[in-house]
Amino acid sequence: MGIVSLLCFTIAPIPPGILMAFFIGGVLLVLGMMFFTLGAEMAMTPMGERIGIRLTQMKRAWVVAFLSFILGFIITISEPDLQVLAEQVPSVPNYILILAVAAGVGIFLVAAVLRMLLGIPLSYMLLALYPMVFILAAFVQEDFMAVAFDSGGVTTGPMTVPFIMALGIGFSAVRSDKHAENDSFGLISLCSVGPILAVLVLGMIYRPDGGVYSATDIRNVENSVELAKMFAEGLPKYMGEILVSLLPVAVFFGVFQIISLHLKKKTLVKILIGLVYTYLGLVLFLTGVNVGFMPAGNYLGQVIASLPYKWVIVPIGMVIGYFIVRAEPAVYVLMEQVEELTSGAISGKAMGISLSIGVAVSLGLAMIRVLTGIPILWFLIPGYAAALILSFFVPKIFTAIAFDSGGVASGPMTATFLLPFAMGACQSVGGNIAADAFGVVAMVAMTPLITIQVMGALYQIQARRPEEQTVPKEAVPAVPLEALGDYEIIEL
């Protein structure tokens, strides 16, 4: 909010109505984040962990696979950002796209669960899947390709991440082998591949002609009554959307509770209160970002890209990217769970800085794409190749966390502020919105894969250094045991 204010009062003037809507949206976003984080801790995480533990205890693999597919399918349909994506894809009916993406996540959640149960290294699966993604991309038109890669980041949002991450922790909790901690991450990364493949396949079937993206209609209110009316119109819409989103997850958990879980009344009441907090938080958050942030992002992009020194949008985009990742609801869930599961060995603060640097770099590259029209594959292929090569040289847990963080970093803030920002800039420079502006989410999802693994490499070097620099102590003469008292501390 501070960065946008600074830009508005210096080089990028925007109408007062849009600026006031942005500030009110910011207040709603802060309140929404507060309730969502509390709700995720009280409801979404415990639900996911308990279902994960119970699924692991089931003897039949086909039952585990079937329930995992249903769970992935339901949660993806519940994801609010998927509705936004469906509206943006030309030539494919919305319900077909939503069902295809949900099926993709369901299938890959099954694959992720079976990977954990069978102990298959995550890097092996990623090495097989990403080449498949890029081979399919070669048969899809460029206008459609960027949207396909965006879908991988968009579908792992505030509904999916807390639940699926907790599911992974639940699976690893009942395992006692040395790889259990490493395997508790990686579910999000595999679930991000499913939507990309599903949308690429749809692109091959429907052969879209790219569609025509008209300029976004930005509503600039004239007075405070119109401003209040704008938010009052948006609130009921998102109340309905989030209710439809949360209901399938709550019903699935309720059926699972009756059939298998049998949790105590006190625990159930706590989870129910947590669901109310989650609902309230997501309603406030999405109302704030969609009504307040989306128009401001689009207008700001238009104004900055129309300046005589339009290149300034690259460093501005990087600064916005550095800070905006901290406003993603699911990022806090990931940082907290990583720090808790690794007993503080990987600190949330270090991970937050790594994510911020990654997103800053990705926004800089995305703005260069907007100004120059460079094809997205020129960035994605080298980026993913570097990430996959790094996976052989860093601890396995860092690879799993890195590929999870890519999906987590590209959530509703990216879809509702950074994507409109890129679309506005692309509109000003006269570029192809479908090919050049879309792909921002994919870029945001890519760079954390590299930065988190680089952090893992540095962590590994620091862990080895004390061992190498340890100077052997001089031998201390042994003291006969008879000379020691009953309560002496013996240093071995």
Side-chain angles (χ1 to χ4, degrees), residues 55 62-77 82 97-114 155-156 160 164 167 187-188 190-196 198:
L55 285 176
W62 70 268
V63 176
V64 176
F66 176 73
L67 289 173
S68 299
F69 176 81
I70 296 295
L71 195 57
F73 191 88
I74 287 172
I75 290 174
T76 306
I77 288 178
L82 184 55
L97 182 79
I98 291 168
L99 292 176
V101 168
V105 174
I107 291 165
F108 277 85
L109 183 58
V110 172
V113 166
L114 293 177
T155 48
T156 48
T160 313
I164 290 184
L167 193 70
L187 268 75
I188 301 293
L190 289 175
C191 289
S192 297
V193 178
I196 300 174

Side-chain angles (χ1 to χ4, degrees), residues 5-40:
S5 301
L6 184 65
L7 291 170
C8 291
F9 292 114
T10 51
I11 62 169
I14 67 173
I18 295 174
L19 187 62
M20 275 306 299
F22 175 79
F23 286 138
I24 293 171
V27 172
L28 292 178
L29 186 145
V30 171
L31 291 171
M33 277 280 286
M34 178 183 73
F35 283 114
F36 171 79
T37 309
L38 184 60

Side-chain angles (χ1 to χ4, degrees), residues 87-159:
E87 294 290 338
Q88 293 169 350
V89 179
S91 304
V92 180
N94 288 6
Y95 70 94
I96 289 179
L97 182 79
I98 291 168
L99 292 176
V101 168
V105 174
I107 291 165
F108 277 85
L109 183 58
V110 172
V113 166
L114 293 177
R115 179 193 78 82
M116 291 182 69
L117 295 178
L118 299 173
I120 301 168
L122 177 66
S123 55
Y124 291 3
M125 295 188 75
L126 295 173
L127 275 171
L129 289 168
Y130 276 105
M132 192 189 304
V133 165
F134 288 112
I135 289 167
L136 274 178
F139 298 96
V140 177
Q141 291 185 18
E142 190 184 352
D143 288 0
F144 199 76
M145 194 192 304
V147 181
F149 280 101
D150 279 355
S151 68
V154 165
T155 48
T156 48
M159 279 295 297

